[in-house]
Amino acid sequence: MVRSQECRDKHVKCDKLEPTCGRCAGSGRQCTRGMVFRSYNKKYSRDHEWVALKSVDEYQWIDESNNHMESTGESASEDGDELPSSLSPENTSIRYSAPLASPTSSGGISSQQSVFTHSSWQGNYGTTPDTAFSTPPYGPTEPAVSDVIHNVFLLPPRETLRDAPKQTPPIHTDDSVWPLKDAAEARLFGHYVLDLAKWLDLCDPNQHFQVEVPKRAAKSPVLLKAILALSARQLTLTKRTSESNEIAARQYYGDCIKLLIPMLDNVVTRADETLFAALIILRVLEEIDLLETGKQGAAHIKGIQSFVREHGPNVMQGGLSEAAFWVGLRQEIYVATITHRAVQIEIGHIDRSIDPNTDFGWANRAVVHLADVLNCCFGPRGVDPGHWSNLQAESHRWQQDKPDSFGPYYYRNADRSKGEAFPKILHIHPCHIIGIQHHKLAQILLSTFDPKLPRIGKGRHDAEHAMLIGVKQNLRELCGIGLHNRSTPPGMFTACMGIAMCGDRFDDRLEQEALLNLLIETERDHARPTAAIQKQITAAWEANRRMMTRD
C-alpha cells in the first residue's frame, strides 16, 4: 500500500487507508496516491573499495528535530508525542487552576484534572479593567486569555493529559443528540443559531456557521459544547435571561476543553475542519472576556496558524474550512488593531486581484487589504514608503472599482441640533457593512502613517490638520454605519476598533459623548468589552483639555 501524495508532500505519517487516507478524510482534501519507489539490491565485486568507518563510540549523534520544528512549524514527531519547548511549564503563559465545578452532574471534570483558565469566570485571578488596561487599550502585547484555546493547538503539556481519555475521543459520533432533552440547552442552542451565528457569517453566502455548524453539532459533542458555552456566557453578560447561565457556561466550557485536549494532540483530528470551527466559536467567547485577562502572551493565533499550515492553499477551496479561515482572519485583525501590531496569520495565498467577483468576495478583499495595511504600519521594519504607496493605490482602486451595491441606500448627515454626532448610513447586507468598514479602517491607518507627511517645518501643521480632517470623517462614518445598522452587531464592534485607533483625536464635546455612548452600548448589549477603550480615550481627552488650559 502506498501513502498519499499529500502526506508525502507534507512529510507526515500516512495511515495508507484506501481510497482516502485518514488525513485527507479529516481535512476534506482529495486523496491521491503517490509514486511507488522500489529499492534494488546491487551486487558489488569482491575487490570493491569501501570508505573506512570509525567505531560507533567516536560518533556524536545530534537531534535536530526541534530546530526543524521551529523553522517549518511541523511537529517534531509525526504522532505528536514531542512537546515544543515553548510550551514547557517554565516558558508557557498558560495557567493551571482547580477544576470547574459541575453544576448538574458528576460527569464534569475530575478533581485532579488541570484546566486552562484565565478570565474570572474560568478561574479567579482578581483582575480588573484597571489592571488589564495599558496603552494601547488592551496592553502592548496579545491578551493572554487567547492562550486558553489556541496554545493547546500546539500540543498541551503532559500535566493536562493525566485524566484525559487514553484514546482520542471522536469528533463525530454516529448518534444524533437531537431532539435535545434539556429545555435550557435548547434555548442556548437557539440563541446561537438565531443571534450569534450571524456574527460569523457576515461575508459567507452559504452561512456555514448558521446552517452547517448547527447540523454538525448534532453529532459532534465538542462543537455542541462550544456553542452552548458561548451562548450561556453571552447571555450572562448581557443579562438577557432571568436565570443565570454562569455555572452552565463554566460547565460547557470545561467539558469542551476536556474533549479538545486529546483531539489537538492527535495529528488527524486536529486537522478536522469541524474542530477548527469549534475553536473559532471559542475564540468569540474569549473575545467577549478580553478585559478579564491577567498575564499577557502572544500565542493566541497558533491555532489558526496550525490549521492553515496543515491545509496549505487547500483551505481556500470553499466549504467550512474557508469560512472558518475568514472568520479567524477577522478575529486576528480585531486583536491586531486594538493592540497595535501586525497580523500573525499567513495571508500570502489569498487572491488580491480585482477581477470580477461577488459582493462577498469584494468584502473579503477589503478585509485582507486591512491586514496588509496593519502589516505595513506595525511590521518590524517600520513603514516602507514604496509599500505604503502600493497599499494606498490598492485602497483607491478598491474604492473606485467596488460594485455599486456597496454604496448606502440611505445617507443623511448628522443633525447637531438634535444631538446627533454621526451620519445615518444604511446598507443592504452585512457583507457591505463589513467591507466598507474595513476599508475605512485601512484608510485611517494609511492616513495616520503617511510617510510623506512633513515632520518639521512650515507645512507640518497644515498637513497634519488636513490628515486629521479625513481621519475624523472616516471614523464618523464608521460609527454611523455601526450605530444605524443594528441588525448587524459586528458593525458596532468594528466601529469600536476605529474609536480605539483615533477616538482620542476628537475634541468636540458632543462627539466625545457620542463615542463613549457607542462604546457603552456595545458592551452592554453585545458583551463586547470596551471599558479599557473608554478609559484610554477619556484620559487622552482630559490630558488635551489640561494642555489647552495651560496654553
Side-chain angles (χ1 to χ4, degrees):
M1 301 204 321
V2 183
R3 66 174 176 166
S4 71
Q5 188 62 42
E6 288 72 17
C7 294
R8 176 172 288 163
D9 291 342
K10 291 180 177 294
H11 303 287
V12 294
K13 186 176 181 180
C14 181
D15 57 20
K16 302 181 182 179
L17 294 178
E18 294 183 352
T20 303
C21 72
R23 280 181 175 274
C24 292
S27 60
R29 294 193 298 259
Q30 182 180 1
C31 186
T32 56
R33 296 293 124 174
M35 297 178 61
V36 178
F37 294 93
R38 293 193 177 99
S39 60
Y40 294 91
N41 295 322
K42 183 175 177 62
K43 295 183 178 180
Y44 297 92
S45 61
R46 292 179 176 274
D47 58 350
H48 185 82
E49 295 185 4
W50 299 93
V51 177
L53 299 178
K54 299 179 181 180
S55 65
V56 175
D57 295 336
E58 295 182 74
Y59 287 97
Q60 180 182 5
W61 300 98
I62 300 175
D63 182 5
E64 296 181 332
S65 57
N66 286 335
N67 294 334
H68 172 74
M69 178 182 62
E70 292 173 1
S71 62
T72 65
E74 296 291 344
S75 173
S77 168
E78 288 183 347
D79 297 321
D81 291 330
E82 295 296 325
L83 174 65
S85 59
S86 60
L87 285 182
S88 65
E90 295 79 10
N91 297 327
T92 183
S93 61
I94 296 178
R95 302 184 182 184
Y96 305 92
S97 74
L100 304 173
S102 173
T104 57
S105 68
S106 60
I109 300 174
S110 65
S111 59
Q112 291 82 21
Q113 182 176 356
S114 297
V115 181
F116 297 95
T117 59
H118 280 289
S119 64
S120 60
W121 71 277
Q122 298 160 337
N124 295 322
Y125 289 89
T127 57
T128 65
D130 290 339
T131 60
F133 173 81
S134 62
T135 302
Y138 296 111
T141 56
E142 179 66 27
V145 69
S146 308
D147 299 346
V148 176
I149 302 303
H150 294 80
N151 253 337
V152 296
F153 220 120
L154 294 178
L155 305 181
R158 290 299 158 205
E159 288 82 353
T160 65
L161 301 178
R162 289 174 180 170
D163 294 323
K166 298 301 181 182
Q167 294 183 344
T168 303
I171 296 179
H172 310 280
T173 61
D174 294 332
D175 299 326
S176 171
V177 297
W178 289 357
L180 294 171
K181 305 297 189 295
D182 189 309
E185 287 189 350
R187 285 193 295 271
L188 294 175
F189 192 80
H191 176 54
Y192 166 81
V193 173
L194 299 177
D195 299 319
L196 302 183
K198 60 186 179 183
W199 293 10
L200 308 176
D201 284 331
L202 302 168
C203 301
D204 180 9
N206 296 315
Q207 298 179 302
H208 282 89
F209 279 87
Q210 190 171 25
V211 178
E212 181 64 22
V213 166
K215 289 195 298 185
R216 296 194 184 196
K219 294 185 177 182
S220 176
V222 67
L223 189 57
L224 179 61
K225 298 295 184 183
I227 289 173
L228 297 178
L230 172 61
S231 292
R233 182 60 175 154
Q234 203 268 347
L235 287 174
T236 297
L237 293 176
T238 56
K239 300 178 174 61
R240 292 174 57 182
T241 55
S242 56
E243 73 275 12
S244 173
N245 289 288
E246 185 81 8
I247 298 178
R250 294 183 182 185
Q251 174 66 35
Y252 295 131
Y253 177 83
D255 289 348
C256 188
I257 292 296
K258 185 178 180 180
L259 293 170
L260 271 175
I261 291 175
M263 289 179 180
L264 295 173
D265 200 31
N266 184 289
V267 70
V268 175
T269 55
R270 71 167 176 253
D272 191 290
E273 63 181 7
T274 300
L275 193 65
F276 187 41
L279 287 167
I280 292 293
I281 292 172
L282 287 175
R283 177 60 184 149
V284 180
L285 188 151
E286 291 177 343
E287 287 176 342
I288 68 176
D289 281 305
L290 199 55
L291 278 183
E292 301 182 30
T293 63
K295 183 181 177 182
Q296 298 186 358
H300 90 282
I301 206 59
K302 297 300 184 181
I304 297 174
Q305 288 176 333
S306 177
F307 187 85
V308 174
R309 183 170 60 245
E310 183 75 20
H311 289 256
N314 292 327
V315 77
M316 302 304 293
Q317 294 183 359
L320 182 57
S321 292
E322 181 173 350
F325 169 81
W326 284 114
V327 178
L329 179 57
R330 293 199 303 270
Q331 291 173 334
E332 165 63 0
I333 287 175
Y334 170 78
V335 177
T337 300
I338 62 175
T339 56
H340 304 173
R341 64 158 173 79
V343 171
Q344 297 178 356
I345 297 179
E346 173 55 45
I347 55 176
H349 61 282
I350 301 178
D351 178 25
R352 290 165 174 77
S353 67
I354 56 171
D355 297 334
N357 205 333
T358 65
D359 286 8
F360 299 97
W362 276 94
N364 284 330
R365 285 172 180 170
V367 170
V368 75
H369 175 64
L370 176 55
D372 288 335
V373 171
L374 285 164
N375 289 342
C376 174
C377 296
F378 300 112
R381 299 181 180 179
V383 178
D384 175 74
H387 190 195
W388 181 93
S389 297
N390 291 336
L391 291 173
Q392 182 77 323
E394 290 178 14
S395 179
H396 289 321
R397 190 160 54 245
W398 189 94
Q399 177 68 22
Q400 179 180 351
D401 296 342
K402 70 182 186 304
D404 293 339
S405 53
F406 276 82
Y409 68 86
Y410 181 77
Y411 188 109
R412 178 178 61 77
N413 289 320
D415 188 345
R416 291 182 62 90
S417 66
K418 296 180 180 180
E420 297 175 353
F422 310 129
K424 185 173 184 178
I425 307 174
L426 303 179
H427 283 277
I428 299 173
H429 192 274
C431 76
H432 303 134
I433 294 171
I434 295 304
I436 292 294
Q437 285 189 313
H438 279 68
H439 182 255
K440 289 189 176 298
L441 286 174
Q443 287 181 313
I444 290 174
L445 285 171
L446 288 171
S447 298
T448 305
F449 286 83
D450 186 352
K452 296 181 294 184
L453 282 176
R455 308 301 178 191
I456 58 175
K458 185 174 65 174
R460 180 184 65 83
H461 182 269
D462 292 342
E464 287 184 352
H465 180 69
M467 179 271 292
L468 191 57
I469 290 176
V471 166
K472 285 184 174 180
Q473 183 59 24
N474 274 318
L475 183 56
R476 292 187 190 104
E477 293 185 350
L478 196 68
C479 294
I481 293 172
L483 194 62
H484 295 292
N485 293 269
R486 299 301 184 95
S487 61
T488 305
M492 298 277 282
F493 310 160
T494 312
C496 293
M497 294 162 59
I499 298 174
M501 285 199 298
C502 57
D504 60 328
R505 304 291 189 106
F506 286 77
D507 51 15
D508 179 82
R509 185 67 180 215
L510 176 65
E511 291 180 324
Q512 288 178 348
E513 291 179 353
L515 291 172
L516 276 178
N517 288 335
L518 191 151
L519 293 171
I520 293 170
E521 181 179 340
T522 300
E523 182 163 347
R524 182 192 66 221
D525 294 345
H526 305 295
R528 207 68 173 192
T530 64
I533 305 176
Q534 297 173 44
K535 182 174 181 178
Q536 178 201 27
I537 61 175
T538 52
W541 293 337
E542 182 60 30
N544 291 338
R545 277 194 289 268
R546 288 197 301 267
M547 188 177 300
M548 294 176 63
T549 302
R550 291 197 203 101
D551 296 340

